[in-house]
Amino acid sequence: MRWLLTFLAASATDLSLSAAAFVPSAARSERLLSSASNKHASSQVRRIRIVKRIMKPIDEAANSKISEDASLALDRRTLLNCLLVSAAAGGTAATQPANAFLFGPSSASSEGPRTTEALDRSGQPIIASQFLATKSGTERTMVQGLKSDPTYLIVTVEGGGLEPYALSAECTHLGCLVPWDPIQKKFECPCHGSQYDARGSVIRGPAPGPLKLAKVSTEADTGKILLENWADEDFRTGEKPWWV
């Protein structure tokens, strides 16, 4: 019986020692776990920082690209708007002669008689005597007329005088300048092939109407050639002028 008690006492002592030994081991384990957790967290932070460093230039490049694309789109939109406005304005100006013939002139173009001096290429007034001294019969010479528009002065068949009318040099189709062909005795538009006879009447389209007329006179005191809006009946058609 004694030996059993001795054995039990020894076993209890061993268990106490084992328990005492286990407590610090558990604390160490907790510390190890905490350390491992901290290391894992630190590792995660490092990974996040690395990813941020990698993504930073990519994000900056993407933002720059978006900004550049937006700016480019704005530039393109602005350019397109400018082109559309320019095209609309140019189209209106180019079709003004034809529109005036088909639908009637605008209120701005419906002016009464107005007189201006005919000017040469250098912008100087043309003196009738000097001008006619160098011209032959039926010759047509382009000068600056009403509103500085190109206008043909016409020498009479006999020479030495001017016809009482001048012709606009602008085609009534789209406003191109129509040169005079002295061989074929007609005006020919180089843009779309319209043709006019010696008095400016249409002999071939697509021009919708005759060349505009202007009255021609000479100033008594100075001998300058004067041009005036033609508001009377068009002697070529027997009707009211389309430009009035």
Side-chain angles (χ1 to χ4, degrees):
M1 188 60 139
R2 183 179 298 173
W3 65 269
L4 180 58
L5 294 174
T6 302
F7 175 77
L8 290 173
S11 297
T13 302
D14 292 340
L15 287 172
S16 299
L17 291 174
S18 297
F22 177 76
V23 172
S25 296
R28 283 196 300 273
S29 296
E30 186 176 353
R31 287 196 300 270
L32 288 173
L33 289 174
S34 177
S35 176
S37 178
N38 291 336
K39 288 181 179 178
H40 179 71
S42 299
S43 178
Q44 290 290 345
V45 171
R46 284 196 298 273
R47 288 194 185 98
I48 293 173
R49 288 176 179 173
I50 292 172
V51 170
K52 285 184 176 180
R53 282 199 298 269
I54 294 173
M55 292 301 297
K56 183 178 180 180
I58 297 175
D59 291 340
E60 290 177 351
N63 292 334
S64 175
K65 178 63 175 175
I66 292 173
S67 176
E68 180 181 351
D69 290 345
S71 176
L72 182 58
L74 179 60
D75 291 343
R76 287 174 177 170
R77 191 158 52 249
T78 302
L79 177 60
L80 180 60
N81 290 339
C82 291
L83 289 175
L84 289 174
V85 171
S86 298
T92 301
T95 57
Q96 185 175 3
N99 289 340
F101 177 80
L102 294 173
F103 307 110
S106 64
S107 58
S109 64
S110 301
E111 301 176 357
R114 183 172 64 88
T115 303
T116 188
E117 298 174 348
L119 306 178
D120 60 19
R121 293 182 179 179
S122 61
Q124 299 300 315
I126 300 175
I127 306 302
S129 58
Q130 299 174 1
F131 176 80
L132 292 170
T134 61
K135 305 297 178 182
S136 57
T138 70
E139 188 170 345
R140 286 153 174 76
T141 304
M142 189 183 297
V143 300
Q144 295 183 50
L146 297 169
K147 300 181 181 178
S148 297
D149 290 341
T151 302
Y152 283 106
L153 291 178
I154 305 172
V155 180
T156 58
V157 175
E158 301 79 9
L162 290 170
E163 293 287 357
Y165 66 92
L167 295 173
S168 169
E170 294 182 350
C171 181
T172 57
H173 179 218
L174 292 178
C176 297
L177 293 183
V178 288
W180 167 251
D181 186 340
I183 304 299
Q184 300 189 52
K185 306 295 184 184
K186 62 183 178 181
F187 297 97
E188 296 185 68
C189 180
C191 296
H192 301 96
S194 297
Q195 296 182 10
Y196 307 84
D197 65 16
R199 299 196 305 173
S201 297
V202 178
I203 56 178
R204 176 180 173 183
L211 298 176
K212 289 193 297 184
L213 296 170
K215 291 184 177 182
V216 178
S217 60
T218 303
E219 192 171 49
D221 297 337
T222 63
K224 295 177 181 178
I225 298 176
L226 303 178
L227 296 172
E228 181 182 323
N229 287 328
W230 189 289
D232 300 331
E233 178 185 283
D234 187 338
F235 60 85
R236 299 165 300 183
T237 64
E239 299 176 354
K240 179 181 179 179
W242 62 262
W243 57 89
V244 174

